[in-house]
Amino acid sequence: MSSPSTFSVALANETATAQLMADLALLIGPGDVITLSGDLGAGKTAAARAMIRYLAGDDELEVPSPTFTLAQVYDLPAFPLIHADLYRISEPSELEEIGLSPLPDGIVALIEWPDRADDLLPADRIDIAFSHRSALGTNARAAEISGYGKAAALVGRLKALREMLAKAGLAEAQRRRMAGDASIRSYARLIRDETSLILMNSPKRPQGPAIYGGKSYSAAVHLAEDVRPFVAMASGLRDRGLSAPVIHYADLEAGFLVTEDLGDVGMVEDDPPRPIVARYEVATDLLVVLHCQTLPETLPLTRQSSYAIPTFDIDALLVEAGLMLEWYLPDRGTQLTNNLVAVFIMMWRGMLQQPLAGPKTWLLRDFHSPNLIWRDERKGIAKVGIIDFQDAMLGPPAYDLVSLLQDARVDVPEQLELALFARYIRTRRALDETFDPSNFAVHYAIMSAQRNTKLLGTFARLNRRDGKPQYLRHQPRIWTYLNRALAHPALAPVKDWYATNIPPPVGYKPPTGNKTSPPNKTSL
């Protein structure tokens, strides 16, 4: 085995131990193994309890020592975790009897007394060795953190994170876990002196297989590879009067940011959630203001470097749409012939030429309710805080309006969509005499059909590849939005082809009642 990545931490009390375990919890995910070493009373169980409570978001959660039960499983919000104590194991072979050899897939394992397992634990793991430091206080400990194999890189990032927090004066800040999203990023709130900040963990994106014209999916569709685009775009948006978070501290190489906390007041209300109309109206106005500006294609990043915003090109759009064929159709028990796949690509290649030939703007990509924060104390469009824009591109203005008015996570009634669409048209016309509403309506329908085609495939992929079945519940909504778009006369060929070849998702119920016209020149 190669030499481990190791560093040591002095822990003055249990609060310091909890901070260390919270920092580590921010970085781990399913498949990671953490072993806790040390003598009796060294603090192993206290450390495990702190991590589990942090991940559960519950400081009072009962986390007993598994000395007698040997293993305890916790179904935590981010992933399942197994907490094991091997003190009473007499033979390493007993690990198989309690389900620890091999370890279950898709979990985080937190194991005390790992020396009892001999060589049966994975080679890729993190070990935290605790020892007493009684000269420094009753509860003082030292912790030596070592990363073995592939886990060495994670331990290196943990060291970098703690060094950044120390330089920022946030080493002793209280950590509060925040819910994650569908990305590889994770977040925590840092609370110090009644001030709240956001800690973002944004590791470099791992490259997937190069199966899209010699590129990975993320490279083909221009997803951010690291944290730099977020930093550059945040500054660019704020310079134009929009409420993107201020970046207080950054480690661009390791992928850590400490940002302004815009709060947690959203754009929706009730259960199931529904749009708060006044807030969606302001968000619509925000897009108008942004789309009426002449925006740069390159933004400053540091004093010595800049960031070039990628263009949403035809190849990226086709790869996205192709997720329907790659992931959604297999879920529905359908496979297209090579000829039909070729027709699909040719059809979309022709359809997308019109919006791509039009004006380009900053396309924020996922401009919808999960990524928008309401700031009532601010004025005008600054009331809408924007927190997700690292994947921004240069592309058709209609795309972000589709993201908002056909919110992937919230049912937006068709009448509300049309009202907000008309609001955008009226306001844009008033500010830009060159604006063509008829062309924009066509672009809106095309981008809606493309985005919703992609999302059906994306949610199927999140279920099958990433083990996140909760995203499947959004597919019927996406199918409804897709059919609204296909009702536009410009998409008649796509509508006919989909009707013949693409089945609806499980759980879809056709709407009842009167149908309204899709956004087009007759409904303006």
Side-chain angles (χ1 to χ4, degrees):
M1 182 182 295
S2 60
S3 299
S5 172
T6 301
F7 73 100
S8 298
V9 178
L11 304 171
N13 48 43
E14 289 190 2
T15 298
T17 299
Q19 290 163 345
L20 169 65
M21 300 308 290
D23 293 343
L24 178 56
L26 184 74
L27 309 184
I28 61 175
D32 287 327
V33 177
I34 304 160
T35 56
L36 305 175
S37 305
D39 295 336
L40 283 169
K44 301 183 293 298
T45 299
R49 182 178 296 117
M51 175 177 279
I52 293 168
R53 285 177 171 174
Y54 171 84
L55 289 167
D58 183 355
D59 291 339
E60 304 300 323
L61 180 69
E62 185 69 23
V63 183
S65 170
T67 300
F68 295 101
T69 59
L70 299 182
Q72 178 69 43
V73 177
Y74 296 87
D75 189 11
L76 301 173
F79 41 71
L81 180 148
I82 186 167
H83 177 203
D85 186 326
L86 307 185
Y87 184 72
R88 294 174 58 240
I89 294 292
S90 57
E91 295 289 339
S93 59
E94 294 178 37
L95 267 65
E96 184 175 354
E97 298 176 18
I98 61 174
L100 294 180
S101 182
L103 287 166
D105 293 331
I107 68 162
V108 167
L110 198 55
I111 302 173
E112 301 182 44
W113 297 99
D115 54 300
R116 305 297 176 95
D118 287 346
D119 297 326
L120 294 182
L121 293 178
D124 302 320
R125 67 178 187 273
I126 299 167
D127 182 73
I128 306 178
F130 292 97
S131 57
H132 293 279
R133 288 293 184 268
S134 54
L136 302 178
T138 304
N139 295 317
R141 303 282 188 273
E144 183 175 86
I145 302 106
S146 301
Y148 297 90
K150 295 178 181 178
L154 194 152
V155 168
R157 295 193 71 239
L158 176 62
K159 182 181 180 183
L161 169 59
R162 291 183 62 83
E163 288 174 348
M164 184 192 75
L165 292 176
K167 290 178 182 177
L170 294 167
E172 297 183 4
Q174 183 182 16
R175 278 74 157 165
R176 288 283 179 230
R177 178 188 175 274
M178 297 177 66
D181 51 27
S183 74
I184 60 174
R185 297 180 296 277
S186 57
Y187 306 87
R189 274 197 164 89
L190 302 174
I191 302 170
R192 181 192 62 181
D193 300 330
E194 299 184 356
T195 298
S196 179
L197 300 168
I198 301 297
L199 171 60
M200 178 194 293
N201 165 45
S202 183
K204 291 182 180 178
R205 185 182 298 276
Q207 291 294 326
I211 59 176
Y212 301 96
K215 298 179 181 179
S216 67
Y217 177 79
S218 61
V221 303
H222 311 305
L223 298 181
E225 301 295 334
D226 56 33
V227 78
R228 290 172 173 83
F230 185 96
V231 174
M233 289 300 304
S235 178
L237 291 167
R238 287 196 312 277
D239 288 346
R240 285 152 186 85
L242 305 185
S243 291
V246 175
I247 311 296
H248 294 295
Y249 307 97
D251 184 334
L252 298 181
E253 190 60 34
F256 298 117
L257 300 178
V258 176
T259 76
E260 174 187 12
D261 186 352
L262 293 178
D264 54 12
V265 179
M267 306 287 287
V268 299
E269 61 185 356
D270 296 338
D271 187 16
R274 58 185 180 87
I276 299 175
V277 174
R279 297 178 185 180
Y280 272 65
E281 289 176 343
V282 178
T284 301
D285 295 344
L286 183 158
L287 290 177
V288 172
V289 172
L290 186 65
H291 296 167
C292 286
Q293 297 184 42
T294 300
L295 300 169
E297 298 182 4
T298 301
L299 291 169
L301 178 61
T302 68
R303 292 180 180 178
Q304 296 81 28
S305 63
S306 59
Y307 172 67
I309 304 171
T311 298
F312 206 8
D313 52 69
I314 185 68
D315 291 336
L317 284 158
L318 289 174
V319 167
E320 285 192 344
L323 293 179
M324 169 179 272
L325 311 186
E326 186 179 354
W327 295 95
Y328 174 76
L329 287 185
D331 267 9
R332 301 298 294 117
T334 299
Q335 184 173 359
L336 300 183
T337 64
N338 290 337
N339 285 340
L340 285 174
V341 170
V343 171
F344 177 89
I345 294 171
M346 181 177 64
M347 176 178 67
W348 272 112
R349 185 178 293 277
M351 192 62 61
L352 291 165
Q353 295 301 324
Q354 187 169 347
L356 289 180
K360 291 181 174 59
T361 187
W362 289 356
L363 186 156
L364 304 183
R365 202 164 196 155
D366 283 316
F367 189 81
H368 59 171
S369 63
N371 300 326
L372 303 176
I373 305 295
W374 185 252
R375 302 282 295 184
D376 198 51
E377 78 284 2
R378 298 186 181 181
K379 296 182 179 180
I381 59 173
K383 287 179 177 290
V384 177
I386 313 170
I387 61 172
D388 189 312
F389 40 76
Q390 64 283 331
D391 297 325
M393 296 176 291
L394 302 170
Y399 189 93
D400 280 344
L401 189 63
V402 170
S403 298
L404 178 66
L405 305 193
Q406 295 187 342
D407 195 316
R409 310 292 183 85
V410 178
D411 290 332
V412 179
E414 191 168 12
Q415 291 288 359
L416 177 58
E417 179 189 358
L418 290 170
L420 293 170
F421 181 86
R423 181 186 183 93
Y424 178 97
I425 295 296
R426 288 194 305 271
T427 311
R428 183 88 187 268
R429 266 177 159 172
L431 296 176
D432 181 3
E433 62 182 15
T434 66
F435 177 66
D436 186 335
S438 297
N439 278 343
F440 184 84
V442 174
H443 298 177
Y444 181 92
I446 294 171
M447 299 318 303
S448 167
Q450 187 275 345
R451 177 175 169 82
N452 290 305
T453 293
K454 174 196 75 169
L455 286 175
L456 286 170
T458 299
F459 292 154
R461 183 177 64 180
L462 283 166
N463 169 52
R464 183 182 295 189
R465 188 193 69 183
D466 301 339
K468 297 179 178 180
Q470 64 269 27
Y471 285 93
L472 294 181
R473 72 178 187 270
H474 301 304
Q475 285 186 332
R477 176 185 307 113
I478 300 305
W479 186 263
T480 296
Y481 292 152
L482 174 61
N483 279 281
R484 289 183 195 174
L486 296 180
H488 194 289
L491 280 96
V494 182
K495 179 181 179 181
D496 292 343
W497 192 90
Y498 274 44
T500 302
N501 297 288
I502 309 296
V506 173
Y508 171 71
K509 297 179 180 178
T512 59
N514 295 328
K515 293 285 293 179
T516 53
S517 300
N520 59 47
K521 63 183 181 181
T522 64
S523 61
L524 301 179

